[in-house]
Amino acid sequence: MASSQGFETAAIHAGQAFDPTTGAIIPPIYQTSTFVQDGIGGLRGGYEYNRSGNPTRTALEEQLAALEGAAHAISFSSGLAAEDALLRSALKPGDRVVLGNDAYGGTHRLIDRIHGAWGVENVTVEMSDLSAVAKAVADSSAKVLWVETPSNPLMKISDIAELAEIGHAAGALVVVDNTFASPYLQQPLALGADVVVHSTTKYLGGHSDVLGGAIVLNDDELAKAIGFQQFAVGAVSSPMDAWLTTRGIKTLAVRMDRHSQNAQAIAEHLVGHPAVEAVYYPGLSTHPGHELASRQMRSFGGMLSVALRGGPKAARRFAESTELFALAESLGGVESLIGYPTEMTHASVVGTPLEVPANLVRLSVGIESLSDLLADLDRALPRR
């Protein structure tokens, strides 16, 4: 549930009461598949089987709800598992989803190719054009307005409060993917959104050692429906994964501050570089979403993208030439990563309205020493 404590305090203490038996300051990992009953139906603490509930997972869910200021949080085995359960709970065949034209490729693939086969339609729109969004939602009678801000990988910023009003006026559920920002930088529910989704693999876990997802919301009935989907299908986070995510969350605030500081400095450093055509980072005053991001985010995050002069060949060469920036999928860990979206994270959207420019490289800026990161990028970028 929502916490009245400061963010950093809630991140460390919500759902984290010490073990009453031993006094251990860190709650134990309940690495068990089932729970002994006090007679048939006599459940201890409501726990009977790991798929239906586990104290370690419950602790993580209390922590996540507190950070997003929500009544409910549900922890899943992956971000896409969380999204799938939400879509199954909110939609039926024939319903439509309005999605931005820049978003995580896996979300588009899930809606378009998995749920699309069951009659759900995906409608694409430019989320920064509020009149276009309003028209798309009204014309399609959309049941879900899916917002991703900052977007992946072009770092577009969408106005959550305005989009929430548009969605609600049309009777649509307003969902915000808060993965790039994390709850520390952005609070979508407070801005009017109905549901927040996360890939907890990313900034919440923060150490590239766990896979997970979460749904956070206030609606009791929808939370119940999503919980049933999870129980019936089984996409739960394991006790160890839940514990690792909880451990990562405890340092989220200090990590996000450092991610943001490093990314801001790198973005400013890359602007005007002779090999760089454009830098996409909302912390730059030239970014079209800078003013809006300044209002709805605490700072600008650790993600940025760079368009290279010289086209796809130059972009691929740059992505394969860094040393500290490791070439890999994913993002949000303490170490810096680099990726070539058109053939990696967004290969599934080639040929769709979400297709990524072939000269684009995405950076997940870690918390290493800034001077080392700058030197790594400078070595990898060609001089013209």
Side-chain angles (χ1 to χ4, degrees), residues 216-236:
V216 192
L217 70 167
N218 286 313
D219 187 301
D220 296 341
E221 287 303 310
L222 182 56
K224 184 178 179 180
I226 295 167
F228 175 76
Q229 285 284 341
Q230 182 184 56
F231 170 73
V233 177
V236 299

Side-chain angles (χ1 to χ4, degrees), residues 124-158:
T124 305
V125 69
E126 170 54 56
M127 280 289 169
S128 64
D129 187 339
L130 296 177
S131 61
V133 175
K135 185 175 188 305
V137 172
D139 289 353
S140 66
S141 300
K143 297 298 184 184
V144 172
L145 174 58
W146 194 286
V147 183
E148 187 179 295
T149 182
S151 69
N152 182 4
L154 292 176
M155 305 302 297
K156 294 181 179 181
I157 304 297
S158 299

Side-chain angles (χ1 to χ4, degrees), residues 185-334:
L185 299 186
Q186 186 167 264
Q187 297 277 304
L189 297 180
L191 293 169
D194 298 305
V195 182
V196 169
V197 298
H198 283 284
S199 170
T200 57
T201 308
K202 312 306 193 295
Y203 286 109
L204 287 164
H207 293 77
S208 301
D209 56 7
V210 62
L211 186 70
I215 298 173
V216 192
L217 70 167
N218 286 313
D219 187 301
D220 296 341
E221 287 303 310
L222 182 56
K224 184 178 179 180
I226 295 167
F228 175 76
Q229 285 284 341
Q230 182 184 56
F231 170 73
V233 177
V236 299
S237 53
S238 72
M240 177 60 77
D241 286 350
W243 185 85
L244 285 169
T245 305
T246 281
R247 184 180 66 169
I249 287 173
K250 291 180 180 182
T251 60
L252 177 64
V254 292
R255 286 188 286 105
M256 292 308 298
D257 283 339
R258 183 61 173 267
H259 283 299
S260 297
Q261 292 164 9
N262 278 357
Q264 182 75 39
I266 287 172
E268 293 173 357
H269 179 78
L270 293 176
V271 169
H273 189 287
V276 173
E277 180 181 285
V279 179
Y280 300 91
Y281 184 67
L284 296 173
S285 61
T286 53
H287 188 286
H290 175 72
E291 183 180 350
L292 174 58
S294 299
R295 296 199 310 269
Q296 74 181 20
M297 297 177 70
R298 186 192 299 253
S299 58
F300 304 105
M303 298 300 300
L304 63 95
S305 291
V306 181
L308 276 294
R309 300 186 191 279
K313 184 177 180 180
R316 289 175 60 94
R317 185 168 59 245
F318 174 45
E320 294 174 341
S321 297
T322 53
E323 295 176 3
L324 282 179
F325 280 85
L327 179 64
E329 299 269 357
S330 200
L331 60 102
V334 292

Side-chain angles (χ1 to χ4, degrees), residues 7-21:
F7 186 94
E8 293 87 346
T9 304
I12 293 170
H13 293 286
Q16 299 300 301
F18 67 85
D19 177 42
T21 302

Side-chain angles (χ1 to χ4, degrees), residues 71 98 163 183 259:
V98 170
L163 290 169
H259 283 299

